[in-house]
Amino acid sequence: MNAEVQRELRLEAVAKRAHSDQRMDFFFRSLTASAAWFVLITLVGAMLVMFDGGREALVEQGTKFVTTDYWDPANLIFHGLAPIVGTLLTSLIALLIAVPISFGIAVFLTEVAPAWLRTPVATAIELLAGIPSIIYGMWGLFVLVPWLGEYVYPWLIDELGTWPVIGPWFQGIPIGIGLLTAGFVLAVMVIPFISSIMREVFLTVPGRLKESAYALGSTRWEVVWDIVLPYTRGAVIGGVFLGLGRALGETMAVTFVIGNANRLGTLLEPGSSISATIANEFAEAFADEHRSALLGLGFLLFVVSFIVLSIAKLMLKGMSRWEGKR
């Protein structure tokens, strides 16, 4: 009888434990799902608020708002092509500069540098990500702008300004402020993000793969190009697009060095970006049309960022399917 009672007690304890585990598991699932939905709802809410505020400019002007280059607050004429193009160009310039440098930093820290040097250098690079953007902007304005205006821009105008296709992009007065300068500053800002991600994913490559390649006579470059990069391609592309998202939304640093001229020009002339235009003019927006145009630009920045991230996701899916077929 005692054995039967003990068995029933054990079964009852197991049932209580299973019920408790189910409740805790349900609570954990609900908590994590709530966190995910909170982010999604916040993002959608911000987009809807931007669209509602900019609906007057977006709906009334239609495609003219994004295809015409004319911004005149005094006469209540607002067309956002110049800030949109400026945002895309500065971000593209930043990636063209930052990705090769970040790749070199990651390869150096994982494959070339001695063990005692890797941690200090990696820590120093990661600390760059914590510097406020306004500091980057001040550095760009007081250090980078004079140097570019005196040495780099005149050389670009003389050497590249006469080329048949890209020449018109490198013409203008070499004052040092412009889209190219903003691209340089953004490149410095996104290098810590991209290089840190590349370094971390390069460290996940199994040592046996690299040792086998070295044993077969591969050079260090061949190991990096044929072993490390294919193994980490998806994560590397994700890190690059994370840096692009950082560049698309940067405000203060770009505002310091881009020139804040709402017109289309060359890479060496002052221009503008969506975030810089909003930061410069929102506080002084005196008319509903002006505020609507600025909020419409904010909504377009959301759309551009969403399109960029969607392209990255589609690229990763396409690469996965191609690798599976291969």
Side-chain angles (χ1 to χ4, degrees):
M1 185 66 181
N2 290 335
E4 184 68 21
V5 171
Q6 291 179 358
R7 190 175 72 85
E8 292 180 357
L9 291 176
R10 284 197 299 269
L11 292 175
E12 184 179 356
V14 170
K16 289 182 179 179
R17 176 62 184 271
H19 182 66
S20 177
D21 290 344
Q22 289 179 353
R23 287 188 301 172
M24 292 301 297
D25 187 59
F26 175 78
F27 174 75
F28 180 74
R29 289 199 309 269
S30 301
L31 183 64
T32 53
S34 300
W37 278 105
F38 172 78
V39 174
L40 182 61
I41 292 172
T42 302
L43 178 62
V44 174
M47 291 186 65
L48 291 177
V49 169
M50 287 290 183
F51 177 77
D52 183 64
R55 180 172 52 187
E56 180 179 352
L58 294 172
V59 174
E60 290 185 0
Q61 299 188 38
T63 58
K64 191 177 181 180
F65 185 74
V66 297
T67 58
T68 306
D69 170 31
Y70 191 68
W71 188 276
D72 186 7
N75 295 312
L76 299 181
I77 300 176
F78 306 100
H79 302 310
L81 180 62
I84 295 172
V85 172
T87 300
L88 296 176
L89 283 179
T90 52
S91 300
L92 179 61
I93 293 170
L95 283 190
L96 291 176
I97 298 172
V99 171
I101 295 176
S102 300
F103 177 74
I105 292 172
V107 171
F108 175 76
L109 292 178
T110 56
E111 304 294 334
V112 180
W116 62 269
L117 186 62
R118 296 180 180 181
T119 301
V121 174
T123 303
I125 293 173
E126 291 173 356
L127 287 175
L128 292 175
I131 298 177
S133 60
I134 192 171
I135 302 300
Y136 283 107
M138 295 174 65
W139 167 79
L141 181 62
F142 295 113
V143 177
L144 190 61
V145 167
W147 180 73
L148 291 176
E150 184 174 357
Y151 300 105
V152 179
Y153 278 17
W155 182 86
L156 291 175
I157 294 173
D158 294 337
E159 299 296 330
L160 302 180
T162 58
W163 288 23
V165 178
I166 65 173
W169 289 97
F170 295 95
Q171 296 177 356
I173 302 174
I175 60 177
I177 290 178
L179 298 176
L180 186 60
T181 307
F184 276 121
V185 174
L186 286 176
V188 176
M189 296 183 66
V190 302
I191 281 175
F193 296 93
I194 301 176
S195 61
S196 297
I197 293 175
M198 285 187 177
R199 171 179 171 270
E200 293 297 329
V201 299
F202 285 175
L203 291 174
T204 63
V205 179
R208 293 182 178 180
L209 290 178
K210 295 187 288 186
E211 293 171 0
S212 300
Y214 283 125
L216 293 174
S218 298
T219 62
R220 182 170 291 167
W221 169 252
E222 290 173 338
V223 170
V224 172
W225 190 256
D226 296 329
I227 303 298
V228 176
L229 268 182
Y231 191 88
T232 60
R233 185 184 292 116
V236 168
I237 294 177
V240 170
F241 277 91
L242 177 64
L244 177 58
R246 177 75 171 87
L248 286 171
E250 178 52 42
T251 303
M252 290 308 300
V254 173
T255 305
F256 270 83
V257 298
I258 200 171
N260 303 305
N262 281 308
R263 60 181 180 83
L264 292 177
T266 69
L267 295 179
L268 309 185
E269 293 178 339
S272 185
S273 68
I274 293 177
S275 55
T277 300
I278 296 174
N280 282 323
E281 300 187 15
F282 197 83
E284 289 78 21
F286 59 90
D288 293 338
E289 294 87 344
H290 196 178
R291 287 189 289 269
S292 177
L294 295 175
L295 290 172
L297 286 178
F299 173 76
L300 291 178
L301 183 59
F302 268 101
V303 173
V304 170
S305 301
F306 177 78
I307 292 174
V308 168
L309 296 178
S310 299
I311 292 174
K313 194 68 175 178
L314 291 175
M315 286 177 59
L316 293 176
K317 287 185 177 180
M319 291 169 54
S320 299
R321 288 195 297 267
W322 181 77
E323 289 178 354
K325 292 179 181 179
R326 184 180 63 177

